[in-house]
Amino acid sequence: MPETLQGLAPVIGRNTRLVVLGSFPSVASLAAGEYYAHPRNQFWPLLSALWGIDLRALPYPQRLAEVKRRGLGIWDVYARCRRAGSLDSAIEDAEHNDLASLRRRAPGLQAIAHNGGESARAMALTRTLGVPVLRLPSSSPANASWSFERKLAAWREAFVSCGLA
């Protein structure tokens, strides 16, 4: 059985209006200590297209500063789990992050967006927080059935609804 893996700390500021919740960081993200570090994950390209800034060209701490400045939060549904590889389907013995703390961490929270299907399994929990809860198409390279343009349209709708795009 694989060892227990620990996720990344939340990127949430007092002015966060929208939180994007992934499932759990990939092997590449855990190794780098950075959200969405896999080179084919489209998270950073999607944000870059939405905001008209090449976030991938910035050092990671500057990316996070830009994310927080614009009112976006990044976190995951799971705090820790066992998993061989990076596929969500391989997640076992998962423990949830303290998602109920989102309203305290981000008092101006306007919506929560689940990045993909595994994250969306926690929608029953996030819906109890009293803000709109959305399901976004996964930015993962495993979600090859959606084109970048189709993902961007769905992400833009969510970001516009919170004044982030």
Side-chain angles (χ1 to χ4, degrees), residues 14 19-20 29 33 36 45 59 65 68 78 92 94-95 115 126 141 155:
R14 299 287 301 166
V19 173
V20 172
S29 292
Y36 303 102
K68 287 174 89 172
Y78 302 126
E92 299 176 344
E95 296 176 36
N115 184 359
T126 55
W155 282 60

Side-chain angles (χ1 to χ4, degrees), residues 51-72:
W51 293 339
I53 177 175
D54 186 2
L55 292 166
R56 293 167 298 173
L58 299 177
Y60 186 70
Q62 284 183 259
R63 272 188 242 171
L64 295 187
E66 186 67 21
V67 160
K68 287 174 89 172
R69 184 183 74 75
R70 290 179 180 261
L72 181 65

